[in-house]
Amino acid sequence: ADPAEPSAASTGLRAAAPAGLCRPVTRGKTRPATGSSVQAGRNNTGELELEADQVRGRIGEQLLAEGHVQLRRGVLSLEADQLEYTQASDLARATGSVHLRRGDDVFTGPELALDTTRLEGHFDRPTYRFGRTDAGGQAERIDFLGANRMAVTGATYSSCEPSEGETLPWVLSSRRVRLDFDANEGIAEDAVLRFYGVPILAAPVLSFPVTDERKSGWLPPTIGTTSSSGLEVSVPYYWNIAPQYDATITPTMSYKRGPGVDAEVRYLQPGWSGELGFYALPDDRVADRERWAWRAQHRGQIGPDIDYQIGGLRVSDDNYYTDDLRGADFLTPRLLPTRAQAQRRSSLRLGGAEVEQTIYAQVHTWQLLQDRSDSTLVTTPYRRQPQVGARWRTVDGPLDWSLQTEASRFTNADTSLISGDRVHLQGSVAWPLGDGGWSLTPRLAFNAASYQTDTAMSDGLRSRSRFIPTFTLDSRWTFERPTEAFGRALTQTLEPRLRYVKTPYRDQSTLPNFDSAGLDFNTDSVFADNSFSGTDRISDAHQITAGASTRFLASDTGGELARFTVAQRFLLSDQQITPEGTPQTRRFSDLLLQASTSALRNLNLDGIVQYDTDQQRVKRTIGSVRYTPGPYQALSASYRLQRGSSEQLSLGWQWPLAGWGTGRRTPAAEAVQQTSTLALDRTPRGGNDCKGALYGVGWVDYSLRDQRLTSTVLGLEYDAGCWIGRLVAQRQSVANSSSNTKLMLQIEFVGLSRLSLGSNPLSSFKDNIPGYQMLRDPQGRNDVSDDITPYNRSFKGVNLFP
Amino acid sequence: ADRDEPLTVDAGQMKIDGKRRTRQLTGGVEITRGSLVLKAGEVEMREGPRGALATALGTAAQPATFRQKRVGPDEVIEGDARRIEYDAASETVRFIEAARVRVYRDGKLADQVSGDQITYDRQRDVVEVLGATGAVPGRVRAVVTPRAASDAASAPAGGAR
Amino acid sequence: CGFQLRRPPALQLRRIHLRGLVGSSLLGEELRRQLRASPGVELLEAPPGADVVLQVLEDSRDEVVAVSTSAGLVRELTLRSRLRFRAQTPSGLELIAPTLLQQQRDMSYTETDALAKEHEALLLYRAMSVDIAAQVVRRLAILGPAALVAPAASASAP
C-alpha cells in the first residue's frame, strides 16, 4: 500500500531513532500494552475456544477441562493445567501454572479467576511481563478491573532477568500500582527504586504513562557540574497541554549563579508548527546581572505552494557563550541569527517550455557575541533588511535559461561599514549539445547590479551600477571499460572535462561588498565561473579549467566504490579581481587532487589535497579514515590543514573495551570473514547478547597550530543488559585561555526511564563521532523518554543554510 | 419424551443371527425414536437385558450421524463419528473415533466439541469428551458461545460435577 | 587502453514514478532534471502504468562543525547530504533494495562572511545533489527488463 504522506497533525512531536543492534528493547511499532481491539469500557466479545486433553460437563452450563488447557476469546488467551468454565456466569477459573496473555503482556501464576466477557477477576501471586518494555516482576495479587484497567498490589518491576541468589541490579517496588490504559496513566504508591539494593529514588506517588502517548509529569532530574556554573540541578516538568501542544518547564538551580527557569513550548498544527523557548537567570550572582536567552523556530505553509519559516536566537550579553549557559545552542555558537523568510514556488508554461518560478522574501539579522578578552573584534556580517527576489528556470526544452532579480537593503551593526540598497538582475542561457557519452555546452550569462548607498562610496558617488557578461564553453566526455578489482567485476569510467570561461574586467573596487567572499578552492569551485560567492564581486576571467575523474562502479549494482579526481586551472590572461585582493599572474593554479573509496570492507577513506605548484608545497589538505568493522565499533581519524589558518587532528571512537564485543575478531580474522559488512549475523544468538559490555566512546580535537586540545570528550558506556550507565567528561575551550569542563553521569533503566546527572551526552555523541551507534533503541519504552527535555545539544534552532 | 416412543428401524437388508441374537442391518440404515435419528452405513442391533443396543458403523467419508432434541431447553444435539454406540435403556450415546458433537440453540449453532471419544448421557444431560484414548494422541476442542448476560439467569441451576 | 565512449545510459525501464519527495528539495529537483534528461524517460504522476516506482525513503542534509577555534569561532564546516531510496515495480517486486547514498563536502567558514558562506554552501549542496542524482540514474540504468523477475542485490555505498 502507498505509505500515507505523514500528515503534520498525526506525526506527533517525537522523531523515531534508528534501532541499535543490541537486542533492541522493543520494536517501535508494537501495539500498546492493552488488547487494542477492546474499546474502552466495552466487553470482550466473540466465541470462546477451549482445547484440552479432556473435557467434561453439561453442555450449555459448565465445562471442566483438564490437561494442557488452552482458552481463547477475543483479546484473551489463557493456558493452564485445569480450567473450569461456567457458561452461565461466563467465569473461567484456572489452576495449575496459569499463563494469561493480553496483547503483548504475559501473566503467570498458580490460580486465576476471570470473567471472560467483562475481563474482571483476580490473579494470585502472579509474575508478569509487559511486552512493550520487556520488563516485569512479581506481585501479591492482580485485580483486573475491566478491559483496560488493573490494580497490582505488592508489585516489583524490573527489566533485569532474576538470577537466584543475586539481588536484581535495579528494581522498582511499590505497595500498590493502578494501571489505566484508557487514561494512559500508571500510579505507583510508595514506590522505591533500588539500584543494587541501594534505594536511590523513593516517591509516595509516582505516575508514569503506560502507552506510547505523551503524559504530563515530572521528568527525571538532571544534575551536572560545570566549571563556569558549579553544581546545577534542573528538574523538568513536561506538560502535555493537548495533542498538538506540549510544554516543558524546567526550574534550574545553579550553585554559583542562583536559580533560573527554562520554558519551551512546542506546537504542531496541520498548516504550521514550531518551538518557542526562553531561559531566564534573573540574578546571576557571578555576573551580577540578569541573563536570558530566547529561541524560536516556526515553520508553516499558506496554500499549496507558499511556505515560510521564522526563527532566531537572542541572548542577553556577549559572555553568554563563554559562561556556557543554557538555551543558546547553535551551529555557530557566537553568531546567532534571527531570520524570517517566505518562498512561493510554482511552475508555468512560457513559450512552449515549462518554467519553475520562485518568489522569495526575507529579513535576516545577527547577534555576534564579541569576546572582549580577545584583542581583535570580529566584524559582524551584513543584515538583509529586507530582501525580495524572484527566480525563473526552465525545466525542459532545448535551451536552458534562467533569470533572477532581487532588491535588497543591507545594513550593518558596525556603523563604520557602509549600508545601502542593491537591485540586481542576473540571467543565463545555455544550449546543451550531445548525448550521455559526450556533451558540449556553450553558455552566455550576465550579472547586472545597481547600488544606492546611504553614505558616499570611496569614489564619492552614492549610486552606481555595473553590467558584467560572461561566456563559458563546457565540454565533458565519459569513457568506460570493464575491469576487475577488489574481487569484483567493475566498470571503470574516465571522465575528462574542459571548461573555458571569459568574463571581462569591470572595476568593482569602489563598490560595497555586502554578500561576497572568496570561494574555497576545491574540485567543485575550480569549475565555477566566478571566484567569489554571492553577487557583489565578479572576478574577471579568461581561463581554461581542465579536470578528469575516474570512478570504479560495481557492474551488478552500479554502486560507486572508488573515485579519484584531479583538476587544475590555466589562466590565459592575468586575473585582476581575486579573493586574495592582488591580481593573479600565475598561469597554472594550484593542483587539486581528491580521492574517496569504500571498496575495502568496513573502511572509508577520503582525501583532498590542494598543491601549490609554484611554491611546491601543500596549501590545504583534508584526510579522513573511518573503520567500522561491526556494530558498536567505529574508529575515525581526520587531519585538516589550512596553511596559515588552522591545522587540526581529530580522533573519534566507539569501541567495546570488555565483555561481548572485544577480542572476538582481530582485524586479520576480520579480513578472512566474507559475511556482509554490517555484521548482523555475527551477533551471538540467545540471551541478551549485549550483557556486560563496556564501550569506550569519545572524540578529541587537537589544534596543531595552538598546540592544545580544543575539544575533548572521554566517555564510558556500560551495557549491563537491563541498565546502561554512561559516564562522560567533556572539556570544551570557550576562550583563548579558558575552557569549560563538564561531567555527566547517566543511568538508563531499560524499560523505565533515564536518570541523568548533567546534560544528555547521547546527542553530542551522535553529532561528533562519525559512525556512532546508539546501544539501544530508546523508542517505544513506556517511560517519558528524555528526548523532549529542553536541554538538548542538537537543537538546530534556525539552521544556518535553509 | 423419547423414552416412551417406539424404536423403528429402516434398512436395506437385514440378517438375523439367532445364535448371537443379533440383527445385522446394511445398505444404509436409519433408526428413529421420537426426535432421535441415528443413520449409518451399517448397524448391528443386539437385545440387551433392559433394551436395544445399537452399534452404528460409518466410514471416514460417510461417518455415522446422530441427532436428538435435548430435554428441557429448546436445543438440538447433533453428532457424528466413525462408530456410534447407542444404549436405548440408559439413553447413552457414545461417539468413537473422530467424534464431533454440535449443540444448536434456537436453531443457531451454539456449541461444538470434537475429540477422540464423546459420551452423551441424556438422562443426566452430561457430555464427556476424551481427547486421547489408547494409542491415538488427540486433543479435545470445544467452541462455546457464552450466554449473553441477559438470558444467563434462565439457564437451569446446578450442573453435574 | 580499452576505454570506449559510453553509450548514453538509455534507461531500459523508462516510465518512472518518483515518490516520497517532501516539498522542494535540491536533491528532488536535480533527480527530476536528470531523469527527464535521460533519453525517452517519462515521469508519471501515479504508480499505475510505471515500469519503476522510485521511492525516496530519506532525503536529508545537515551541517556539523569540523574545526572551531579555541574561542568558539567556527573555522570549518562539514556539509552532509543523504539520500536513501529503493526501486520497486508498481506491484511491489523489489528492483533495488533500500540503498543509502551520502556525500559530504568541507567548507571553510568565518562568521564575518556568513552571507557569502550561505551562497557557497548552496553551491556545494547543489554539487552533491548532482552527484547523488547521477549515481541513482546509473543504478537505474543497470536495471533491464530481466530485473523485473530476478531478486535485487542490496548494497550500501559511501
Side-chain angles (χ1 to χ4, degrees):
Chain A
D2 177 4
E5 283 302 298
S7 69
S10 71
T11 49
L13 292 171
R14 230 181 355 188
L21 282 177
C22 279
R23 183 166 56 80
V25 170
T26 48
R27 291 285 165 276
K29 290 174 288 303
T30 48
R31 284 176 303 121
T34 65
S36 60
S37 57
V38 175
Q39 269 31 34
R42 286 231 344 276
N43 291 338
N44 188 25
T45 55
E47 270 179 353
L48 183 138
E49 261 178 58
L50 193 62
E51 217 182 284
D53 290 348
Q54 277 186 355
V55 173
R56 255 197 320 281
R58 281 157 62 92
I59 289 265
E61 269 82 43
Q62 196 180 38
L63 295 174
L64 178 64
E66 273 159 3
H68 315 299
V69 183
Q70 283 175 355
L71 182 144
R72 268 183 302 281
R73 185 185 183 200
V75 293
L76 184 61
S77 110
L78 185 58
E79 283 153 28
D81 292 346
Q82 295 94 23
L83 186 129
E84 191 190 296
Y85 174 66
T86 316
Q87 206 153 345
S89 63
D90 192 12
L91 178 67
R93 183 181 300 282
T95 50
S97 75
V98 181
H99 288 261
L100 170 67
R101 187 180 303 282
R102 282 168 45 100
D104 299 330
D105 311 333
V106 178
F107 305 85
T108 53
E111 203 190 331
L112 162 74
L114 189 68
D115 172 330
T116 68
T117 304
R118 277 191 291 278
L119 291 175
E120 283 161 2
H122 61 85
F123 210 143
D124 299 335
R125 299 183 308 288
T127 62
Y128 64 93
R129 194 152 194 92
F130 289 139
R132 225 161 44 69
T133 60
D134 206 358
Q138 287 90 28
E140 275 148 33
R141 179 184 159 104
I142 292 185
D143 289 288
F144 297 104
L145 316 163
N148 293 331
R149 285 181 329 112
M150 64 178 86
V152 186
T153 42
T156 67
Y157 175 82
S158 168
S159 60
C160 307
E161 267 107 17
S163 53
E164 312 75 27
E166 286 164 29
T167 58
L168 280 170
W170 67 267
V171 63
L172 175 72
S173 52
S174 74
R175 190 174 48 77
R176 194 158 178 279
V177 180
R178 275 179 287 107
L179 299 169
D180 183 336
F181 292 98
D182 298 333
N184 175 21
E185 179 155 65
I187 311 262
E189 290 153 15
D190 298 340
V192 177
L193 179 62
R194 282 188 179 74
F195 186 54
Y196 283 99
V198 176
I200 58 171
L201 178 74
V205 177
L206 184 70
S207 92
F208 54 92
V210 284
T211 60
D212 283 345
E213 288 88 26
R214 306 186 312 277
K215 170 158 178 5
S216 302
W218 291 98
L219 300 182
T222 54
I223 307 158
T225 66
T226 63
S227 46
S228 64
S229 306
L231 187 71
E232 182 174 287
V233 180
S234 58
V235 187
Y237 178 80
Y238 176 76
W239 178 20
N240 180 16
I241 307 166
Q244 287 81 23
Y245 297 88
D246 72 18
T248 311
I249 298 108
T250 315
T252 63
M253 184 56 196
S254 157
Y255 172 73
K256 284 186 181 173
R257 295 184 187 277
V261 67
D262 183 296
E264 179 178 274
V265 176
R266 301 192 307 177
Y267 48 93
L268 181 70
Q269 292 289 357
W272 38 279
S273 67
E275 298 92 33
L276 201 60
F278 186 79
Y279 175 65
L281 201 55
D283 174 19
D284 180 344
R285 288 200 289 264
V286 173
D288 194 17
R289 53 157 293 176
E290 63 158 3
R291 318 289 293 272
W292 49 264
W294 65 262
R295 55 192 187 273
Q297 193 184 11
H298 177 89
R299 299 164 290 276
Q301 257 116 22
I302 304 169
D305 48 18
I306 298 176
D307 50 79
Y308 63 93
Q309 296 89 24
I310 302 165
L313 230 54
R314 262 285 184 272
V315 293
S316 53
D317 56 288
D318 280 353
N319 295 331
Y320 201 87
Y321 168 72
T322 42
D323 292 348
D324 193 18
L325 298 175
R326 300 173 67 113
D329 296 296
F330 189 60
L331 194 67
T332 51
R334 291 192 41 203
L335 178 67
L336 307 179
T338 303
R339 185 176 210 156
Q341 58 183 6
Q343 305 88 253
R344 180 176 177 282
R345 275 185 189 73
S346 53
S347 63
L348 29 93
R349 291 213 69 80
L350 215 56
E354 189 189 344
V355 173
E356 254 173 32
Q357 166 182 286
T358 311
I359 300 171
Y360 58 90
Q362 67 174 322
V363 177
H364 191 177
T365 61
W366 309 89
Q367 177 182 16
L368 186 80
L369 309 185
Q370 293 290 3
D371 179 355
R372 295 284 175 252
S373 68
D374 190 348
S375 55
T376 59
L377 292 183
V378 179
T379 47
T380 56
Y382 274 92
R383 299 184 288 231
R384 294 174 171 136
Q385 280 188 317
Q387 177 177 70
V388 181
R391 253 195 313 273
W392 296 272
R393 215 173 96 157
T394 55
V395 174
D396 51 20
L399 286 180
D400 291 349
W401 59 267
S402 75
L403 194 65
Q404 176 173 6
T405 176
E406 196 181 82
S408 321
R409 170 150 182 75
F410 293 100
T411 60
N412 198 304
D414 177 351
T415 51
S416 67
L417 292 174
I418 195 166
S419 299
D421 308 340
R422 179 190 75 192
V423 174
H424 92 266
L425 178 67
Q426 63 187 37
S428 72
V429 60
W431 183 23
L433 302 166
D435 58 18
W438 65 279
S439 73
L440 183 67
T441 314
R443 181 169 170 275
L444 201 58
F446 70 91
N447 183 319
S450 83
Y451 296 85
Q452 186 75 29
T453 57
D454 299 354
T455 56
M457 293 183 252
S458 54
D459 59 7
L461 295 176
R462 287 192 50 219
S463 70
R464 250 191 72 192
S465 47
R466 44 95 175 146
F467 174 88
I468 305 171
T470 298
F471 169 72
T472 65
L473 185 62
D474 198 333
S475 64
R476 296 167 180 249
W477 294 274
T478 308
F479 298 95
E480 282 177 4
R481 69 174 178 181
T483 177
E484 212 270 333
F486 310 110
R488 292 177 71 164
L490 303 176
T491 310
Q492 184 185 2
T493 73
L494 181 61
E495 296 160 47
R497 182 181 180 188
L498 275 172
R499 181 177 174 88
Y500 166 74
V501 180
K502 175 72 179 95
T503 306
Y505 165 74
R506 291 288 184 276
D507 176 26
Q508 296 147 54
S509 53
T510 61
L511 290 176
N513 177 2
F514 300 126
D515 68 356
S516 273
L519 286 174
D520 287 351
F521 191 67
N522 55 41
T523 46
D524 297 305
S525 67
V526 76
F527 288 102
D529 302 358
N530 184 5
S531 306
F532 290 87
S533 63
T535 317
D536 288 329
R537 287 296 179 272
I538 310 289
S539 60
D540 59 311
H542 185 208
Q543 63 200 25
I544 293 180
T545 306
S549 61
T550 175
R551 301 172 203 251
F552 292 84
L553 307 166
S555 316
D556 49 2
T557 63
E560 188 178 291
L561 294 183
R563 167 196 316 196
F564 304 91
T565 306
V566 62
Q568 190 167 28
R569 183 184 294 162
F570 175 69
L571 294 187
L572 299 173
S573 55
D574 293 354
Q575 183 173 42
Q576 306 303 327
I577 303 176
T578 63
E580 294 76 18
T582 57
Q584 178 60 269
T585 54
R586 277 175 44 206
R587 281 295 169 262
F588 284 91
S589 76
D590 293 348
L591 185 65
L592 281 166
L593 301 156
Q594 192 254 340
S596 73
T597 174
S598 63
L600 301 168
R601 218 151 41 67
N602 306 329
L603 205 58
N604 285 58
L605 299 164
D606 290 281
I608 297 175
V609 172
Q610 181 182 335
Y611 181 74
D612 186 332
T613 46
D614 271 4
Q615 289 154 13
Q616 312 285 329
R617 63 189 178 129
V618 171
K619 189 182 287 183
R620 184 162 186 256
T621 181
I622 298 175
S624 74
V625 58
R626 189 154 58 92
Y627 176 58
T628 48
Y632 313 109
Q633 293 174 333
L635 279 176
S636 70
S638 70
Y639 169 76
R640 292 167 187 278
L641 164 70
Q642 211 167 349
R643 196 167 298 288
S645 158
S646 69
E647 185 175 6
Q648 174 174 303
L649 190 64
S650 300
L651 295 174
W653 66 89
Q654 174 189 25
W655 201 262
L657 303 178
W660 163 71
T662 60
R664 291 183 52 250
R665 288 178 310 283
T666 58
E670 183 60 45
V672 167
Q673 199 134 11
Q674 285 314 320
T675 50
S676 72
T677 52
L678 204 52
L680 280 186
D681 48 22
R682 274 177 287 165
T683 315
R685 283 289 144 261
N688 177 339
D689 31 32
C690 295
K691 209 158 171 4
L694 181 68
Y695 299 91
V697 189
W699 75 87
V700 170
D701 292 343
Y702 179 75
S703 161
L704 297 157
R705 232 162 80 88
D706 309 343
Q707 301 288 333
R708 62 194 285 259
L709 291 170
T710 50
S711 156
T712 321
V713 173
L714 300 174
L716 287 174
E717 274 187 303
Y718 179 69
D719 182 341
C722 57
W723 63 274
I724 296 174
R726 286 189 189 88
L727 177 66
V728 179
Q730 175 169 4
R731 195 163 175 285
Q732 182 85 24
S733 71
V734 286
N736 281 346
S737 53
S738 78
S739 62
N740 187 16
T741 47
K742 230 185 268 186
L743 190 65
M744 296 172 244
L745 172 65
Q746 182 178 65
I747 303 175
E748 178 177 336
F749 301 103
V750 172
L752 186 63
S753 99
R754 282 189 182 125
L755 279 183
S756 17
L757 299 177
S759 61
N760 170 19
L762 262 183
S763 38
S764 52
F765 287 167
K766 275 184 276 185
D767 274 354
N768 291 290
I769 303 175
Y772 172 77
Q773 238 171 331
M774 284 224 292
L775 291 189
R776 294 293 183 82
D777 166 12
Q779 223 43 40
R781 292 184 310 178
N782 75 342
D783 67 311
V784 180
S785 134
D786 74 325
D787 56 13
I788 37 175
T789 45
Y791 192 78
N792 167 349
R793 184 167 185 279
S794 63
F795 174 81
K796 279 278 185 274
V798 176
N799 47 29
L800 197 58
F801 311 115
Chain B
D2 287 356
R3 289 183 61 75
D4 319 326
E5 296 293 332
L7 191 79
T8 63
V9 176
D10 168 16
Q13 299 88 21
M14 181 166 70
K15 198 157 76 28
I16 297 175
D17 176 342
K19 193 158 53 53
R20 289 174 58 230
R21 298 176 60 247
T22 61
R23 280 181 289 167
Q24 208 70 27
L25 307 159
T26 53
V29 182
E30 182 170 328
I31 298 171
T32 54
R33 187 187 191 192
S35 74
L36 181 152
V37 175
L38 178 62
K39 284 190 201 148
E42 192 189 316
V43 172
E44 187 191 277
M45 298 278 294
R46 216 163 28 81
E47 278 311 321
R50 289 185 290 104
L53 283 169
T55 305
L57 295 174
T59 63
Q62 273 286 349
T65 65
F66 171 86
R67 193 171 184 288
Q68 188 170 27
K69 231 174 82 40
R70 262 187 75 188
V71 173
D74 172 15
E75 285 177 6
V76 171
I77 293 205
E78 224 181 61
D80 52 78
R82 289 297 293 281
R83 198 164 96 239
I84 299 181
E85 287 164 2
Y86 176 64
D87 175 342
S90 66
E91 286 194 289
T92 309
V93 191
R94 181 170 292 114
F95 303 84
I96 297 156
E97 217 184 317
R100 287 185 312 181
V101 166
R102 290 174 295 282
V103 176
Y104 291 87
R105 203 171 295 142
D106 324 327
K108 285 206 316 311
L109 173 62
D111 308 335
Q112 54 187 322
V113 178
S114 59
D116 189 52
Q117 184 179 330
I118 304 178
T119 316
Y120 169 50
D121 177 337
R122 180 171 161 73
Q123 279 157 6
R124 285 170 42 237
D125 199 11
V126 164
V127 172
E128 186 172 280
V129 191
L130 294 181
T133 53
V136 177
R139 295 269 286 164
V140 174
R141 232 180 128 268
V143 179
V144 174
T145 312
R147 293 287 176 100
S150 55
D151 69 14
S154 65
R161 190 82 187 85
Chain C
C1 51
F3 278 107
Q4 308 105 12
L5 196 59
R6 177 177 71 158
R7 283 167 295 89
L11 266 64
Q12 286 126 51
L13 305 180
R14 289 212 171 80
R15 291 197 302 282
I16 296 173
H17 168 58
L18 190 52
R19 187 172 62 198
L21 281 171
V22 178
S24 67
S25 85
L26 267 180
L27 204 49
E29 276 164 32
E30 190 53 36
L31 200 50
R32 278 195 203 92
R33 202 184 63 75
Q34 290 202 18
L35 285 174
R36 280 207 185 92
S38 314
V41 167
E42 195 190 332
L43 284 183
L44 304 185
E45 283 316 309
D51 303 330
V52 180
V53 174
L54 186 58
Q55 183 180 3
V56 171
L57 303 167
E58 179 199 347
D59 163 13
S60 67
R61 55 181 187 158
D62 68 345
E63 305 97 28
V64 181
V65 174
V67 173
S68 60
T69 67
S70 50
L73 293 170
V74 173
R75 282 297 161 266
E76 199 145 317
L77 288 173
T78 302
L79 313 178
R80 300 186 294 203
S81 186
R82 281 164 66 96
L83 174 77
R84 240 165 65 80
F85 74 101
R86 71 172 350 157
Q88 292 174 322
T89 60
S91 58
L93 174 70
E94 192 152 81
L95 300 173
I96 300 179
T99 306
L100 171 67
L101 297 178
Q102 50 192 351
Q103 290 262 331
Q104 63 181 43
R105 296 288 198 278
D106 291 284
M107 180 179 83
S108 69
Y109 188 82
T110 58
E111 276 73 4
T112 310
D113 300 333
L115 294 187
K117 287 298 173 182
E118 194 179 296
H119 289 289
E120 184 170 357
L122 205 55
L123 292 179
L124 290 175
Y125 276 124
R126 201 178 292 274
M128 286 194 265
S129 303
V130 168
D131 202 307
I132 291 179
Q135 286 192 40
V136 173
V137 172
R138 257 193 189 284
R139 285 164 181 263
L140 287 174
I142 300 276
L143 294 180
L148 291 182
V149 184
S154 144
S156 116

